Amino acid sequence: MVEDVVEKRKRKKSEREEKSEVEANPKPAEFPVHNHSKKKKKKNGMVETELRKEIPTVSIAVAGSIIDNAQSQELATLLAGQIARSATIFQVDEVVVFDNRAISDNVPLMDNGDECDSGALFLERILQYLETPQYLRRRMFPMHDSLKHVGLLPPLDAPHHLRKHEWFPFREGVTLEVNASLSRGTPVDVGLAKNVEVEQTLEPGLRVTVAMGASRSFETDCLKKVVDHNRPREEMGIYWGYKVRYASNLSSVFKNCPYKDGYDHIVGTSEHGSVVNSSELSLPKFRHLLIAFGGLGGLEESIEEDNDLKGKGIADLFHSYLNTCPNQGSRTIRTEEAIFISLQYFQEPIIRAGRRFAEK
């Protein structure tokens, strides 16, 4: 009986000590990233769990009509370059260019030879061109009238725009024709003096992300591996460029979202929006954030011109509607200026919500 009482006291004392230790040394917060496990087969038939970090994404939607307002193709190109620079500086993951037209998603896009049929398609092409590493552009982009003035634009100098002498665990490349007699896999141009070969068999002309392996030697002939485009970001926290998507109207920006569960927080920007200081703005923890920018008539006009949004209002589409530049000195703020101002405005709230990249 006495022994039972003594044993109970010991157990209670042990539990109190464990509780005190947990309270004194709490588990570190893990909110900056979401850990997702991916099963990977080993040669011996066992399965190991590979942890990959999913960093929340930030997308922006831009009205293509801002290009139509440019006075010349040269100025339109410079405008597109400003948007590309802003997206890269603030590490945007996706740029959606939407047309301000009341058309259905089923209407085919027309690209007649050297001329695009809308400012949106022009903007889409320039954004894609600038995001592509310089050493891939000749292979990925044939001659086109829209690209006539791209030589005037400053480079994005993004982390994946690597030089020939730079070694990095990942490189962007384009697949080449397979020479059956010489190749063990698929040759890929990754911007080095010598092409590399990947173990997968792929058709030519595809842009791929190549894992370069542990060796820092450019001369090694070992087979490389094509990996998911998001792998550099997930494994190393490195920004790896933005993707570009065309949307026929504002409603298709939301309907055709490439993420499985859509955008879980959508913000509209307008001079008619609410005024909140950046330091006081609290964004919820998100997986996929979308920030939308209107054209000359603002997002209100884009909603009115969209047949699929008839009867809809601001509150039906956006979780918040903000004026990111109150007390402006000019009567108007151009969209390319609003994008830069707004992305700076959202930078700290986005970081507080949990999205972080590795320090450069």
Side-chain angles (χ1 to χ4, degrees):
M1 186 75 177
V2 174
E3 290 178 356
D4 291 342
V5 173
V6 172
E7 190 63 30
K8 286 182 181 179
R9 287 179 179 176
K10 285 183 179 180
R11 283 201 301 269
K12 288 183 179 180
K13 182 179 179 181
S14 177
E15 289 172 358
R16 285 198 301 269
E17 288 174 349
E18 289 178 3
K19 184 178 180 181
S20 299
E21 184 178 351
V22 170
E23 290 174 349
N25 301 285
K27 187 178 179 181
E30 296 179 354
F31 69 87
V33 293
H34 302 283
N35 288 335
H36 292 259
S37 61
K38 183 179 180 182
K39 290 183 179 178
K40 181 181 177 183
K41 273 192 175 178
K42 296 175 76 175
K43 290 183 179 178
N44 59 8
M46 298 293 288
V47 175
E48 67 177 353
T49 299
E50 176 189 356
L51 289 179
R52 292 170 60 182
K53 297 178 178 179
E54 182 187 14
I55 301 174
T57 66
V58 173
S59 302
I60 61 173
V62 186
S65 60
I66 62 174
I67 293 295
D68 298 324
N69 192 50
Q71 295 174 321
S72 67
Q73 191 185 78
E74 184 175 341
L75 291 175
T77 303
L78 292 172
L79 188 159
Q82 284 181 271
I83 295 174
R85 286 283 298 172
S86 297
T88 303
I89 289 170
F90 294 103
Q91 304 184 106
V92 168
D93 300 285
E94 179 195 33
V95 182
V96 189
V97 183
F98 65 92
D99 257 321
N100 287 45
R101 299 184 298 176
I103 61 175
S104 167
D105 289 337
N106 297 323
V107 176
L109 303 180
M110 299 298 295
D111 190 354
N112 301 319
D114 284 344
E115 293 188 6
C116 292
D117 68 338
S118 72
L121 290 174
F122 177 93
L123 178 56
E124 178 195 26
R125 190 184 301 274
I126 299 294
L127 291 174
Q128 288 175 334
Y129 179 87
L130 291 176
E131 188 278 335
T132 303
Q134 297 90 322
Y135 56 84
L136 296 182
R137 289 173 181 169
R138 286 191 177 182
R139 295 187 186 275
M140 301 294 296
F141 293 88
M143 295 290 291
H144 196 280
D145 185 63
S146 297
L147 303 175
K148 186 161 55 177
H149 300 292
V150 291
L152 299 172
L153 301 177
L156 299 188
D157 206 19
H160 62 301
H161 289 197
L162 297 162
R163 281 74 167 177
K164 282 189 176 181
H165 65 277
E166 288 182 289
W167 183 91
F168 199 76
F170 301 94
R171 271 184 171 265
E172 290 296 288
V174 60
T175 55
L176 307 175
E177 289 281 355
V178 176
N179 186 327
S181 61
L182 300 176
S183 297
R184 296 170 294 168
T186 303
V188 179
D189 179 0
V190 292
L192 300 175
K194 182 180 178 181
N195 296 331
V196 301
E197 284 189 284
V198 297
E199 57 189 34
Q200 296 94 328
T201 302
L202 303 168
E203 61 182 89
L206 297 177
R207 178 172 163 178
V208 293
T209 302
V210 179
M212 299 298 291
S215 174
R216 288 177 173 266
S217 173
F218 292 133
E219 303 301 322
T220 179
D221 290 327
C222 65
L223 287 174
K224 314 298 182 186
K225 186 177 181 180
V226 171
V227 297
D228 187 88
H229 178 76
N230 293 322
R231 185 67 66 85
R233 193 183 73 157
E234 292 171 347
E235 287 191 0
M236 304 179 66
I238 298 295
Y239 176 66
W240 208 247
Y242 56 78
K243 293 182 179 179
V244 185
R245 176 165 68 92
Y246 173 86
S248 57
N249 45 33
L250 181 59
S251 58
S252 61
V253 172
F254 314 118
K255 287 191 298 185
N256 299 330
C257 174
Y259 304 114
K260 182 180 178 181
D261 298 319
Y263 303 109
D264 52 357
H265 193 72
I266 303 173
V267 179
T269 60
S270 170
E271 61 179 348
H272 305 298
S274 302
V275 176
V276 181
N277 291 331
S278 176
S279 60
E280 299 172 355
L281 179 64
S282 178
L283 293 175
K285 291 181 183 179
F286 59 85
R287 291 188 65 197
H288 305 296
L289 170 69
L290 173 69
I291 305 170
F293 300 88
L296 299 178
L299 288 171
E300 296 88 351
E301 182 181 74
S302 299
I303 294 173
E304 291 176 4
E305 293 181 346
D306 192 327
N307 290 334
D308 294 333
L309 297 179
K310 294 298 182 184
K312 300 285 187 181
I314 295 298
D316 300 313
L317 300 178
F318 304 103
H319 295 100
S320 54
Y321 204 59
L322 301 171
N323 181 354
T324 59
C325 188
N327 306 316
Q328 60 197 59
S330 173
R331 290 188 182 90
T332 57
I333 294 180
R334 299 170 64 87
T335 301
E336 64 272 24
E337 297 168 340
I339 291 173
F340 196 93
I341 292 168
S342 298
L343 290 178
Q344 173 60 41
Y345 169 90
F346 282 111
Q347 188 175 32
E348 285 302 318
I350 285 173
I351 291 174
R352 288 197 297 270
R355 183 180 188 255
R356 287 174 173 82
F357 279 99
E359 294 292 334
K360 294 181 180 63

